[in-house]
Amino acid sequence: MPTMRYVLMNGSSHIFFVEMPETHAYQLSALNLRLHKEIDKLTADHVPQLPYAVAECDNVELHDSSIRIVSGLDYINELERDFAAVKESAYPLIALLTEIRALQAQLEQWYEDEEL
């Protein structure tokens, strides 16, 4: 059984956990910080709402049914779709998409390797 870590995300109206392979959790946290650093530079009308990564932990025992745990790959896939839909003309959005897609590819490979 692989070791997982959980990244606590604080959205505008809710918190949730993203379950990541232990070896990749720090990459999600770093990507989140980078996206927050750059998101204000986007000039598009529609910019995705981006939660803040506020903590990482090894175990989660939920006591509130309104808080959910999201698969890391599902979260990254949604993030990629959201940013790919942005119609940006002034900022090189491709750089952010490249970073998102790099982590997406790593997670896809990790899950594929785990299934074997």
Side-chain angles (χ1 to χ4, degrees):
M1 184 74 158
T3 303
M4 304 301 275
R5 285 186 60 86
Y6 300 86
V7 180
L8 176 60
M9 304 296 263
N10 186 4
S12 59
S13 62
H14 64 289
I15 62 171
F16 61 98
F17 289 91
V18 178
E19 181 182 62
M20 294 289 289
E22 179 181 42
T23 54
H24 294 76
Y26 73 95
Q27 289 176 270
L28 177 60
S29 295
L31 175 62
N32 183 268
L33 289 171
R34 168 108 165 92
L35 292 175
H36 273 287
K37 181 179 175 185
E38 300 297 325
I39 202 164
D40 290 338
K41 298 175 184 174
L42 298 178
T43 62
D45 292 334
H46 168 71
V47 176
Q49 293 292 319
L50 189 62
Y52 285 91
V54 294
E56 288 182 33
C57 54
D58 292 326
N59 297 305
V60 172
E61 185 174 324
L62 294 177
H63 299 284
D64 182 340
S65 62
S66 69
I67 298 173
R68 59 190 176 104
I69 297 175
V70 179
S71 154
L73 186 56
D74 289 345
Y75 178 76
I76 289 294
N77 287 340
E78 183 179 336
L79 189 65
E80 192 277 336
R81 278 191 303 272
D82 289 347
F83 274 84
V86 173
K87 304 299 182 212
E88 178 62 44
S89 58
Y91 181 86
L93 184 62
I94 193 68
L96 298 180
L97 276 169
T98 299
E99 291 183 44
I100 292 169
R101 289 174 178 156
L103 181 53
Q104 184 180 39
Q106 289 175 26
L107 286 174
E108 287 171 351
Q109 183 64 50
W110 185 89
Y111 281 104
E112 186 177 300
D113 291 347
E114 285 301 311
E115 289 178 0
L116 297 177

